Amino acid sequence: MKEIRYEYELDFEVRDYECDLQGIVNNAVYLHYLEHSRHKYLLSKGIDFAKMHEEGKDLVVVRVEADYKSPLKSGDRFVIRLNVSKEGRLRMVFHQDIYRLPDEKLVLKAKTLGVCLLNGRPIVAEEVERALFS
């Protein structure tokens, strides 16, 4: 099997309140994990959300596909690894995989599509293009 090379990763630990009655992480919580790792990745690339928003530009999610493979439980440590690519002229695609630590068991595979809006209309944000795709 071909090993995937990721351009970014971020470690986490499951907190008790993120679990449901079954004792596993609630499905919606994974979306928060994915969002946090995307934000940290973008910040690591120098993309300033607050500054962009002041200019009328907002990075928004337009679609998320998530395949749940195995559950996480309270206290589990895990890592989110990601890559980013382009789809068409306007869309950014974040490929995000969650692995439980230390055994590296695949927990979730996700594909998140995002765009940049300027006053509500999709645009190509030059600063994002330079930071992510140059």
Side-chain angles (χ1 to χ4, degrees):
M1 189 159 122
K2 184 181 171 188
E3 183 179 329
I4 301 171
R5 293 191 187 269
Y6 297 93
E7 58 184 281
Y8 185 79
E9 66 178 51
L10 187 63
D11 292 352
F12 290 82
E13 184 173 326
V14 175
R15 296 164 289 206
D16 294 339
Y17 65 85
E18 296 170 327
C19 297
D20 58 23
L21 289 173
Q22 298 169 320
I24 60 176
V25 172
N26 181 277
N27 66 85
V29 172
Y30 289 96
L31 298 179
H32 292 278
Y33 295 157
L34 297 172
E35 180 178 36
H36 186 68
S37 67
R38 286 192 309 276
H39 286 190
K40 288 293 202 179
Y41 168 72
L42 292 169
L43 287 169
S44 79
K45 294 292 196 173
I47 297 171
D48 183 338
F49 291 99
K51 181 178 178 216
M52 287 183 68
H53 179 73
E54 289 170 6
E55 297 168 353
K57 298 176 196 170
D58 292 296
L59 297 176
V60 299
V61 169
V62 295
R63 182 182 179 90
V64 177
E65 297 173 14
D67 295 319
Y68 297 89
K69 303 295 187 178
S70 62
L72 289 170
K73 296 181 239 166
S74 182
D76 280 350
R77 291 182 316 107
F78 63 98
V79 63
I80 300 181
R81 297 182 177 124
L82 73 78
N83 287 314
V84 65
S85 64
K86 290 282 289 183
E87 186 174 282
R89 194 173 71 79
L90 299 173
R91 293 188 203 143
M92 298 166 279
V93 182
F94 294 89
H95 304 274
Q96 296 173 273
D97 299 331
I98 299 178
Y99 295 92
R100 185 177 63 206
L101 297 174
D103 65 354
E104 295 283 334
K105 182 170 177 91
L106 180 62
V107 172
L108 180 136
K109 290 188 78 57
K111 178 181 174 184
T112 304
L113 278 73
V115 297
C116 183
L117 300 178
L118 175 62
N119 301 317
R121 299 184 61 103
I123 64 159
V124 173
E126 295 303 325
E127 63 269 48
V128 174
E129 290 292 309
R130 280 190 304 278
L132 302 184
F133 305 113
S134 293

